[in-house]
């Protein structure tokens, strides 16, 4: 019975002790918005400076019948609007990463073998590295998607379509980075 009495006497003393310290919160990975804004501007400028090698395609606007077959687009549901970006940018950044990875793979595919765009690829890779820097575990994962070989005659058309879509994606992505880089 004596051990039980000791326990009863010690229990109120335990309640007076401060609670154990919670582990220090680990800071969330930080994205360098200014660097992303700068790289997205550079990517946009590189896209604007590209000359169409097939003059007949200069005024052509192509559309793909199967939108599921083409790259991710930034949609309203991706939470890339300014009010949402200020509170939670995770979903928007995931969509941007998904799109950039797709374009990286597309620029490295056989569509661009006759027209490699090394500077554009280098800038896109720098932007990807910048976005993945806070998330080191994702950097090591290969994200290369297998692209089906394309017919030689279709490559100029597919290049044009890919670059048009990358330009649209870059414009919206640039707005996200510009908003996020500006002081609020």
């Amino acid at each position: 019975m004596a051990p039980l009495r000791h326990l009863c006497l010690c229990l109120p003393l335990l309640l007076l002790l401060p609670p154990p310290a919670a582990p220090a919160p680990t800071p969330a990975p930080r994205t360098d918005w200014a660097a992303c804004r700068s790289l997205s501007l550079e990517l946009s400028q590189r896209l604007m400076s590209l000359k169409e090698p097939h003059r007949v395609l200069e005024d052509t606007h192509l559309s793909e019948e199967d939108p599921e077959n083409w790259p991710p687009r930034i949609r309203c549901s991706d939470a890339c609007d300014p009010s949402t970006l200020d509170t939670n940018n995770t979903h928007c950044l995931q969509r941007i990463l998904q799109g950039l990875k797709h374009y990286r793979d597309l620029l490295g595919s056989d569509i661009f073998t006759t027209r490699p765009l090394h500077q554009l690829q280098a800038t896109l890779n720098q932007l990807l590295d910048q976005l993945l820097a806070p998330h080191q575990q994702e950097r090591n994962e290969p994200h290369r998607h297998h692209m089906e070989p394309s017919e030689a005659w279709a490559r100029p058309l597919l290049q044009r379509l890919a670059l048009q879509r990358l330009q649209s994606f870059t414009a919206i992505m640039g707005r996200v980075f510009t908003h996020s880089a500006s002081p609020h």
Side-chain angles (χ1 to χ4, degrees), residues 40-155:
S40 72
L41 179 61
E42 183 181 338
L43 186 65
S44 183
Q45 289 170 339
R46 290 195 187 284
L47 281 163
M48 295 296 277
S49 69
L50 289 177
K51 301 289 183 221
E52 176 60 55
H54 305 281
R55 296 195 58 108
V56 71
L57 295 177
E58 282 180 354
D59 296 322
T60 305
H61 293 285
L62 304 169
S63 65
E64 179 70 26
E65 289 182 22
D66 183 11
E68 297 300 317
N69 226 5
W70 272 88
R73 297 182 179 112
I74 298 174
R75 297 182 175 90
C76 293
S77 61
D78 293 328
C80 290
D81 58 288
S83 61
T84 308
L85 283 172
D86 290 340
T87 57
N88 183 4
N89 55 30
T90 305
H91 187 68
C92 182
L93 282 177
Q94 287 173 346
R95 178 60 77 174
I96 289 172
L97 280 169
Q98 184 182 18
L100 289 174
K101 289 173 186 177
H102 178 85
Y103 284 112
R104 175 202 56 203
D105 296 347
L106 195 59
L107 288 171
S109 73
D110 77 321
I111 294 171
F112 288 94
T113 52
T114 59
R115 184 185 179 195
L117 302 171
H118 299 296
Q119 290 180 329
L120 186 66
Q121 283 179 295
T123 304
L124 193 142
N125 283 328
Q126 285 178 318
L127 182 55
L128 258 172
D129 286 345
Q130 185 66 45
L131 286 170
L132 290 173
H135 311 279
Q136 289 295 335
Q137 69 277 10
E138 291 181 34
R139 290 183 93 181
N140 299 328
E141 296 177 14
H143 287 283
R144 301 274 176 187
H145 300 285
H146 176 67
M147 306 292 289
E148 292 296 321
S150 58
E151 299 290 330
W153 66 267
R155 288 181 189 145

